Amino acid sequence: MTRSLLSSRALAAVAFAASSVVGACSSDGVGSSDSPVAAVTISPDTLRLVTGGEARLGVSITDSAGNAVRGRTVFWSVADTTIATIDQDGLVHGVRPGGVRVSANVSGKSDLSDVLVRSAGVASVTVDPPSASVLVGGTAQLGATVRDAEGGVITDRPPLWSSGNSGVATVDQSGLVRGVSPGTTTIVAARDGHTGSATITVTRIPVASVVITPAETEVRLGRTVKLVARAYDDQGKEIVGRTITWSSSNTTRATVDQNGVVTGRVLGVVTISATAEGKTGTAKVTVKS
């Protein structure tokens, strides 16, 4: 009987101690993970970022008594991910200039924060490649990278392109260079007072072959025959405006002037050549009586 009475008293003491601990937890402003969520608050109310920058949002979860609620999952979302993105730890990344709202939701309770993204200041512009060779009529694509003072790439502020000599090469606003005439010029990409450049060398399309027409002909003694030489590129397209030099394999038998006019001198066969930029075409000419 005495042992039962002592056990009852001991149990009552333990229960009193446990209720005292719970009361202490409630009174110091810290709720439990079982408390219903009454409010969710994001901080700060407005977050300002530059493009490419990152910052973390904080969140406070409280019950109806204003005590913190622990152990709840926060679901983050952003209204327009082309302006900013957010991960489930509240880390916001600025994508492009603009304003967007971010939401934090916990057990049906939510709060909003405004995220304002602005362009970072331009610190440098670089052009790649720094030099290129282009054929007359050909093209080359240049790229430009705009960076801020910390080396971050600024994607929303494209540079303005220009050519130092549009008679040699032109450039459009995508950085596409087109060769106009042989020579060298500088292509510049500029943004907010900062510039990058590339040196462009324009060369003529090389001669790949020379063809004489007719390829075989006859000429009488003391008479003339006209030959025509044409230069071609490696695609078989005729190239005009190139200097062609004529020659005869035997000037005693037949001569040729620099207009391709052959004069028969002595009976026999002679080879007439036309050369342009190291490429040669030939024709067979028979001198007859």
Side-chain angles (χ1 to χ4, degrees), residues 219-224 248 250-256 261-268 270 287-288:
V219 63
R220 292 187 179 278
L221 284 171
R223 301 292 182 89
T224 62
S248 170
N250 188 335
T251 56
T252 300
R253 184 163 291 154
T255 58
V256 61
V261 177
V262 179
T263 303
R265 303 294 184 183
V266 176
L267 298 180
V270 66
V287 181
K288 300 179 65 176

Side-chain angles (χ1 to χ4, degrees), residues 119-137:
S119 293
V122 175
S124 67
V125 179
T126 56
V127 176
D128 184 57
S131 63
S133 294
V134 184
L135 294 175
V136 172

